[in-house]
Amino acid sequence: MRVLGLETSCDETGVALYDSERGLLADALFSQIDLHRAYGGVVPELASRDHVKRLLPLTRQVLADAGVGAGQIDAIAYTAGPGLVGALLVGASCAQALAFAWGIPALGVHHMEGHLLAPMLEERPPQFPFVALLVSGGHTQLVRVEGIGRYQLLGESLDDAAGEAFDKTAKLLGLGYPGGPEIARLAQSGVADRFVFPRPMTDRPGLDFSFSGLKTFTLNTWQRCREAGDDSEETRCDIALAFERAVVDTLVLKCRRALRQTGLKRLVIAGGVSANQALRQALERMLGELRGEVFYARPRFCTDNGAMIAYAGCQRLLAGQQDGPAIAVQARWPMEQLPAV
């Protein structure tokens, strides 16, 4: 089965073509980072308009790169949520229109399920069951995964997601957007242990997260430094390192707890923050100590992309699932509501 995947949940337009027998045939992505950088974050209306502008040209590009005509596509998968409603509607409308014109089925896909399954696109995919750490700008969750659609939420952020905390911390330090790569870049030049930041919610049982307090702690530290006349680049680097280490240590500790609680030895990390090298290295060390395995997608499939939507949609379409012609999206959509495959 050949499935065209469309991703428009936020600020990246992704299109990909996946073949159930041959794997990923082609993919293309347009990032709106430059468009939103001037505002320090995503402007929903601008994001929606840019998806309208980019979606069909990217679709033509993917089909040309794959050497596939419209008549050779079996189905279309699109992101139906969670995400920005306007952006989601662009992808859903385009997908349903193409499906109607081509006489093929369409299926709305859960954005975070796409992230969760992105490592399946690699040469060495994880085997079920495993624990998944979904960590992005909008989500920080630990999930027990028994199979596609068989998800048990173990813990989640009670306030800011880790990626959101990275972006907000970068903004208060006067750094560019998106914040995660900027924080990671500065952290490489930071001096360890000059600042010691708290590891939120690690001194109590459970698998939930909280990053808003850490963001506030960072703000107060930066303000004290500035009041003392120290707003140097070196101080920014030291604060960035302390913040990054606090987030990484917190995520690693909670992942260790989740693995012990479930008795599993496989961990999947997915979402934009999973591209952070400090997090990957820390999790690899931890899994080495536990004699387990950690899996993640290549960096370009960690952020939003069409390939993960095409793959996730293909698995559900092969199981006989498809949507009617109605255009329906969900800004909020608990993953546990998905049917099992």
Side-chain angles (χ1 to χ4, degrees):
M1 174 179 280
R2 286 177 178 165
V3 178
L4 182 70
L6 308 182
E7 157 60 23
T8 62
S9 66
C10 190
D11 61 339
E12 284 161 324
T13 312
V15 180
L17 187 63
Y18 180 83
D19 188 299
S20 57
E21 295 183 358
R22 297 170 54 196
L24 185 64
L25 301 181
D27 72 286
L29 182 73
F30 183 86
S31 176
Q32 300 176 7
I33 287 176
D34 291 340
L35 176 64
H36 300 288
R37 181 174 282 124
Y39 305 95
V42 178
V43 180
E45 178 63 23
L46 295 180
S48 302
R49 292 183 180 186
D50 204 65
H51 287 311
V52 173
K53 180 179 179 181
R54 308 291 177 181
L55 200 50
L56 287 179
L58 286 177
T59 299
R60 296 189 189 100
Q61 176 185 332
V62 165
L63 296 184
D65 290 346
V68 171
Q72 297 171 286
I73 297 174
D74 300 304
I76 299 179
Y78 62 94
T79 304
L84 303 175
V85 171
L88 292 169
L89 284 171
V90 174
S93 301
C94 182
Q96 290 288 8
L98 290 175
F100 178 80
W102 295 343
I104 58 177
L107 178 69
V109 172
H110 193 289
H111 178 74
M112 295 310 295
E113 182 174 67
H115 275 304
L116 188 152
L117 297 177
M120 299 295 185
L121 294 164
E122 303 303 317
E123 292 184 4
R124 190 176 70 93
Q127 300 296 312
F128 299 114
F130 54 77
V131 170
L133 171 66
L134 302 178
V135 57
S136 66
H139 298 81
T140 301
Q141 298 177 328
L142 279 166
V143 182
R144 178 177 180 138
V145 181
E146 296 289 340
I148 297 177
R150 298 168 61 194
Y151 308 130
Q152 177 190 358
L153 181 64
L154 302 174
E156 61 183 340
S157 179
L158 304 179
D159 40 58
D160 289 355
E164 182 181 5
F166 268 107
D167 286 341
K168 290 180 177 178
T169 297
K171 189 172 183 178
L172 67 88
L173 288 175
L175 304 177
Y177 173 84
E182 291 295 308
I183 292 288
R185 178 181 62 82
L186 287 189
Q188 292 178 350
S189 302
V191 174
D193 302 325
R194 177 185 172 187
F195 299 104
V196 179
F197 283 14
R199 275 58 174 163
M201 294 187 71
T202 58
D203 58 348
R204 66 184 75 176
L207 296 173
D208 286 332
F209 302 89
S210 173
F211 294 105
S212 64
L214 180 60
K215 178 191 62 184
T216 302
F217 190 94
T218 306
L219 173 61
N220 292 337
T221 301
W222 175 236
Q223 287 180 337
R224 285 196 299 270
C225 290
R226 295 184 68 184
E227 289 168 0
D230 182 7
D231 60 354
S232 65
E233 185 72 3
E234 290 78 7
T235 294
R236 278 192 176 90
C237 291
D238 297 343
I239 291 176
L241 177 59
F243 174 82
E244 182 183 61
R245 282 191 167 185
V247 173
V248 168
D249 287 352
T250 299
L251 294 172
V252 171
L253 186 146
K254 296 286 185 171
C255 286
R256 183 189 292 269
R257 283 185 188 174
L259 291 168
R260 287 178 173 171
Q261 178 177 309
T262 59
L264 298 175
K265 295 290 187 178
R266 283 187 290 270
L267 176 71
V268 166
I269 56 172
V273 182
S274 70
N276 182 280
Q277 291 302 307
L279 176 60
R280 289 190 176 197
Q281 292 166 9
L283 288 173
E284 287 172 354
R285 288 194 298 270
M286 186 265 286
L287 267 297
E289 295 170 3
L290 298 179
R291 297 183 179 180
E293 298 177 284
V294 61
F295 300 85
Y296 38 75
R298 71 198 80 169
R300 70 190 181 103
F301 291 155
C302 290
T303 54
D304 296 350
N305 63 88
M308 68 183 193
I309 301 303
Y311 177 84
C314 184
Q315 306 314 304
R316 291 190 170 276
L317 286 157
L318 286 171
Q321 297 182 24
Q322 65 182 67
D323 292 337
I327 298 173
V329 298
Q330 301 183 59
R332 297 181 182 275
W333 188 6
M335 201 163 60
E336 309 92 271
Q337 294 181 357
L338 295 175
V341 170

